[in-house]
Amino acid sequence: MEEKVLRKLFLGFIQIHILHHAKEEPIYGTWMLEELKEHGYSISSGTLYPILHSMETDGLLIKEDKNVDGKIRKYYSITDKGSAVLIEARNKAFELFKEIKD
């Protein structure tokens, strides 16, 4: 039960990570999985790709297909809407951190 609750909570954190990195430069799934792993998130591609698709559907990311070594790789970049959401998420996260840090 506790793991299920934490998973739901961390989903929001993962989305903030995605927006943050997509703002810096276009990202792709395999790279994002490795980046999340470095921050202690253990998710599968079967979890990440639906998140990316959902964020694209919500207008937070835009997808571009690129040919890399003969294979099509999907790169995601942040949209203006995604940037606005990221700013708001950062503000809320900062407020929360100040409140719970002790």
Side-chain angles (χ1 to χ4, degrees), residues 19-99:
L19 289 174
H20 168 75
H21 289 292
K23 185 169 182 73
E24 292 182 333
E25 63 185 349
I27 60 163
Y28 59 95
T30 305
W31 181 87
M32 196 68 231
L33 284 172
E34 290 301 315
E35 177 65 20
L36 289 168
K37 189 180 292 184
E38 287 182 25
H39 292 284
Y41 298 99
S42 178
I43 67 169
S44 68
S45 58
T47 299
L48 177 64
Y49 287 105
I51 293 170
L52 291 170
H53 293 292
S54 173
M55 293 176 75
E56 181 186 12
T57 299
D58 291 342
L60 305 175
L61 298 173
I62 188 164
K63 178 179 67 177
E64 179 183 1
D65 293 340
K66 291 184 182 179
N67 188 323
V68 178
D69 298 328
K71 295 183 179 185
I72 300 299
R73 181 181 285 166
K74 296 168 184 0
Y75 282 87
Y76 294 87
S77 299
I78 198 166
T79 63
D80 289 342
K81 180 180 178 182
S83 291
V85 167
L86 178 59
I87 289 168
E88 185 65 22
R90 283 178 175 159
N91 291 338
K92 297 289 186 198
F94 182 68
E95 283 298 315
L96 178 61
F97 174 74
K98 288 191 309 187
E99 189 167 312

